[in-house]
Amino acid sequence: MSIILFSLSSCIAEYTPDAGKEKTLLLVEGLITDQPGINTVRLARSIPLWDKKLAEPLKGCTVWLSDDMENIYYL
């Protein structure tokens, strides 16, 4: 019985990665499928976790997919 009570009283610690103030990462979000329709890919740069604004999308980028048969598909 005491084991059940102990497990119910445990807590979850918050995790904040150490990305540094100056460091930004490339964010890639998209949907790529073999079904009819449009494939989408959005690129942005990361922002600090404590910043309340949204990540601004990168513009003017060229995105493509390539396979092992050297086919290239521009998105």
Side-chain angles (χ1 to χ4, degrees):
M1 182 73 165
S2 62
I3 295 174
I4 294 172
L5 292 177
F6 178 73
S7 65
L8 293 176
S9 67
S10 64
C11 64
I12 298 172
E14 183 177 317
Y15 171 72
T16 304
D18 183 23
K21 292 183 180 181
E22 310 295 324
K23 187 176 182 180
T24 62
L25 303 172
L26 177 64
L27 303 175
V28 179
E29 176 186 4
L31 174 65
I32 300 169
T33 178
D34 63 350
Q35 300 300 309
I38 298 174
N39 295 310
T40 59
V41 176
R42 288 185 272 191
L43 304 175
R45 286 279 173 199
S46 64
I47 56 173
L49 291 173
W50 54 87
D51 202 334
K52 299 296 182 195
K53 66 181 179 179
L54 297 174
E56 302 251 344
L58 295 175
K59 297 180 181 182
C61 300
T62 303
V63 178
W64 70 89
L65 300 172
S66 62
D67 62 18
D68 59 348
M69 297 175 64
E70 297 184 16
N71 295 309
I72 298 175
Y73 306 94
Y74 288 93
L75 304 177

